[in-house]
Amino acid sequence: STVSIGIYELTSENLAVKKYRNGDQIPEATTLAAWQAFNTSQQGCFSYYNNYLGNDVSYGVLYNKWAVLDSRELAPIGHRIPTLTEWNGIVSAAGTNAATEMKSENFWSSGAGNNLTGADIRPNGYRLALAANNDFAGLLTESRIWAADGVSYVKYSTSNAIDTTGTGALNDGYAVRLLKNSNYNGWNGDPDYL
């Protein structure tokens, strides 16, 4: 489902698709070596946080930049991944307390929001591409969400600030949210897509 924030219709959940728009499978990377190999070959992939399928339900999945940039597209018809400019517009439209009003009331280790916008941003963490001990970080404390360029991301944390200036470690894995195209009304929540 989507929520209206200013002129934007933002999905209220992180994306969790395992297929591109055309039906092609997105490969799952269950090890750090596999994640690195997909990045090296510039191939899209996804991962569940800590490789635990149960995290899909609460947090969606984490995608590498190649999945975001793939011409087969992650977003279903009538939807798109927001650009950084659009993310800045969403944050601006949410008002001066945007972080609090966009973050979920639950899941955060501290600094939870009141979710007045209905965006329900949850601390989904992220996947590290180069990690010595743990290739996942930030669960319960941080949400990093890709912008459409596959370089920029929006970061929510336990503070009451939203960082829209981040550029990702290009091989890390972040969540994805979608915007519904303003002229589209034919899609009504196919569970295979959200």
Side-chain angles (χ1 to χ4, degrees):
S1 65
T2 61
V3 294
S4 295
I5 303 175
I7 62 170
Y8 303 97
E9 287 285 322
L10 182 69
T11 55
S12 59
E13 297 175 329
N14 290 343
L15 194 63
V17 296
K18 285 72 170 195
K19 293 180 182 180
Y20 291 107
R21 182 184 289 182
N22 71 353
D24 289 351
Q25 289 290 126
I26 303 168
E28 180 182 359
T30 57
T31 66
L32 180 57
W35 186 269
Q36 292 168 336
F38 285 122
N39 279 312
T40 299
S41 66
Q42 299 183 357
Q43 184 179 355
C45 67
F46 78 91
S47 183
Y48 301 105
Y49 187 93
N50 213 27
N51 297 311
Y52 175 59
L53 176 63
N55 284 324
D56 179 349
V57 175
S58 297
Y59 304 109
V61 300
L62 304 172
Y63 298 96
N64 69 356
K65 75 178 249 174
W66 304 109
V68 170
L69 296 174
D70 197 291
S71 62
R72 294 171 288 182
E73 300 189 52
L74 286 174
I77 293 171
H79 295 75
R80 67 187 184 282
I81 299 171
T83 65
L84 188 58
T85 299
E86 288 170 324
W87 268 114
N88 279 306
I90 293 163
V91 169
S92 178
T96 55
N97 296 317
T100 300
E101 294 185 9
M102 293 181 77
K103 286 170 28 181
S104 67
E105 297 178 77
N106 302 308
F107 300 98
W108 294 90
S109 62
S110 65
N114 59 28
N115 195 31
L116 290 180
T117 63
D120 203 30
I121 303 292
R122 296 179 180 184
N124 52 262
Y126 55 99
R127 180 156 203 162
L128 298 160
L130 303 171
N133 299 322
N134 188 357
D135 46 336
F136 296 92
L139 188 68
L140 307 182
T141 62
E142 194 171 310
S143 179
R144 294 184 183 187
I145 305 171
W146 282 116
D149 65 4
V151 174
S152 308
Y153 65 89
V154 178
K155 179 175 128 181
Y156 295 80
S157 66
T158 54
S159 74
N160 284 327
I162 302 170
D163 181 2
T164 58
T165 62
T167 52
L170 298 184
N171 294 321
D172 285 354
Y174 304 142
V176 169
R177 289 284 177 119
L178 301 177
L179 286 179
K180 182 178 166 186
N181 296 336
S182 60
N183 60 348
Y184 186 75
N185 63 10
W187 182 76
N188 61 0
D190 183 340
D192 284 344
Y193 289 102
L194 288 179

